[in-house]
Amino acid sequence: MVQKLDQKLPVANEYLLLSGGVREGVVDIDLDELNVYARGTDYDMDFTLLVPALKLHDRNQPVTLDMRHSALCHSWLSLRLFDEGTISKWKDCCTIVDHINGATNYFFSPTKVADWFYESISIVLSEIQKKPQRGMPKVEKVEKNGTIISIILGVGSSRMLYDIVPVVSFKGWPAVAQSWLMENHFWDGKITEEEVISGFYLVPACSYKGKKDNEWRLSFARSEVQLKKCISSSLMQAYQACKAIIIKLLSRPKAISPYHLRSMMLWACDRLPASYLAQEDYAAHFLLGLIDDLQHCLVNKMCPNYFIPQCNMLEHLSEDTVMLHARKLSSVRSDPAEHLRTAIEHVKAANRLTLELQRRGSTTSIPSPQSDGGDPNQPDDRLAKKLQQLVTENPGKSISVFINPDDVTRPHFRIDDKFF
């Protein structure tokens, strides 16, 4: 619907949906403007949706970006790479630089693209709410947080948070990360290089000293999805446990994000023997190892980006911030079990709050415009419960759902190769 407004978005587009929100470090975007949402109070499930505003998908050679004005891992994007039609379409979302020779260069602006995207989504959602259809989610909240658009949708008694990120999508691999491919990695022989380097993104986030209106950050989210397949379940358990502990403990002042932790985990996979990482009952060992690695990175103020190692993601931190977090982490290391129990209790409390709010909602609900006089939550609740049951009964399996946009009341599930 956004594409139909002014035909700016590509007609044939490929979106990447990631489990978890931007606030959980699903992609490397540190934004000071992000509002704080609480699981249980504001939402029950969260996702990040990467939406390509521009695509460069016809290149077989390494992609060379304009990094002359940017910090490492960042780039400006000139529309000279695109045809005249694209330049004309996106001129209003660019900053303009005139050269001495009289030529004009249009640089794709992350802030202006985000403004356009927020306005477009707001128009679309307003239209949907004017003409509600049976089975359509209820829009609980729409907010712009910096360059991210956050939407909370009510589906039955569940609330889903979507962080929608406008990005530039590239096929191939950036020249700046070409040397990384020459090294040995833990995923060698497990997945092909073609799978790992199938594409990358520019996401709307600038460096700490960069120009917000022009600077994008390189993101390898597509590659990270592939690499995750090669990480043992016990190490992933340790990562999730460590993330649960640090996400609150090290949140103020802002310094360490789960994305830093994920980078450390990938480096550990390259460094440690595969036979050790494959041990199924070593999750506790791996948790302690991740805490130690994080402590080491803090004390040395050094956390290299996994794909572009010359980029140190912690070099901007002050000595006071580093030592404050290092001391907090020392308390975790002295009794990790207690901190993990606390994190689990927080999750349980959020779940209890969710159930309580759902119970209250079911006793005070009024017929919605979508309903035919019956209980508007009933079909959606059945769908949510069925999905929850399928997930519980099929651990580790691939579950997908097809919903016909002309009849959203009839879901169709597929688990691996079986249909329900």
Side-chain angles (χ1 to χ4, degrees), residues 225-297:
V225 169
Q226 298 297 327
L227 297 184
K228 195 186 289 186
K229 298 175 184 175
C230 305
I231 298 175
S232 69
S233 58
S234 48
L235 180 53
M236 283 305 300
Q237 285 175 353
Y239 165 74
Q240 296 294 350
C242 195
K243 185 172 82 166
I245 293 171
I246 71 161
I247 205 163
K248 289 271 170 52
L249 188 71
L250 304 186
S251 62
R252 294 287 182 271
K254 199 167 186 179
I256 294 291
S257 78
Y259 191 82
H260 294 110
L261 185 64
R262 181 142 35 109
S263 299
M264 293 170 209
M265 178 178 65
L266 292 171
W267 282 120
C269 289
D270 274 356
R271 187 179 74 244
L272 297 167
S275 57
Y276 172 70
L277 293 172
Q279 297 292 329
E280 291 185 7
D281 55 350
Y282 272 28
H285 299 69
F286 299 152
L287 174 59
L288 296 178
L290 286 171
I291 294 171
D292 288 343
D293 279 3
L294 185 53
Q295 185 79 291
H296 184 268
C297 288

Side-chain angles (χ1 to χ4, degrees), residues 14 16 56-61 63 169-174 180-181 187 191-201 219-227 229 307:
E14 186 180 357
L16 185 64
L56 265 176
H57 276 199
D58 300 323
R59 293 169 174 257
N60 294 319
Q61 71 271 28
V63 180
S169 173
F170 292 86
K171 197 166 189 174
W173 199 246
W180 177 80
L181 293 175
W187 47 267
I191 53 176
T192 65
E193 187 175 285
E194 286 70 27
E195 288 176 284
V196 175
I197 65 169
S198 61
F200 69 100
Y201 298 101
S219 170
F220 300 91
R222 189 191 295 272
S223 302
E224 288 161 7
V225 169
Q226 298 297 327
L227 297 184
K229 298 175 184 175
F307 299 93

Side-chain angles (χ1 to χ4, degrees), residues 292-312:
D292 288 343
D293 279 3
L294 185 53
Q295 185 79 291
H296 184 268
C297 288
L298 276 169
V299 170
N300 291 283
K301 220 162 74 171
M302 172 64 73
C303 180
N305 181 286
Y306 182 65
F307 299 93
I308 307 176
Q310 59 269 38
C311 172
N312 175 13

Side-chain angles (χ1 to χ4, degrees), residues 67-119:
M67 296 180 165
R68 293 169 298 170
H69 319 284
S70 307
L72 271 168
C73 283
H74 296 79
S75 178
W76 290 23
L77 181 67
S78 168
L79 289 194
R80 281 179 178 172
L81 296 170
F82 299 86
D83 57 64
E84 285 299 324
T86 302
I87 294 173
S88 175
K89 203 186 298 183
W90 284 105
K91 266 183 185 177
D92 56 340
C93 289
C94 290
T95 57
I96 301 170
V97 177
D98 292 318
H99 292 284
I100 299 171
N101 61 8
T104 299
N105 204 346
Y106 295 94
F107 287 100
F108 206 43
S109 169
T111 51
K112 291 185 178 184
V113 170
D115 289 342
W116 163 81
F117 200 39
Y118 175 66
E119 288 169 14

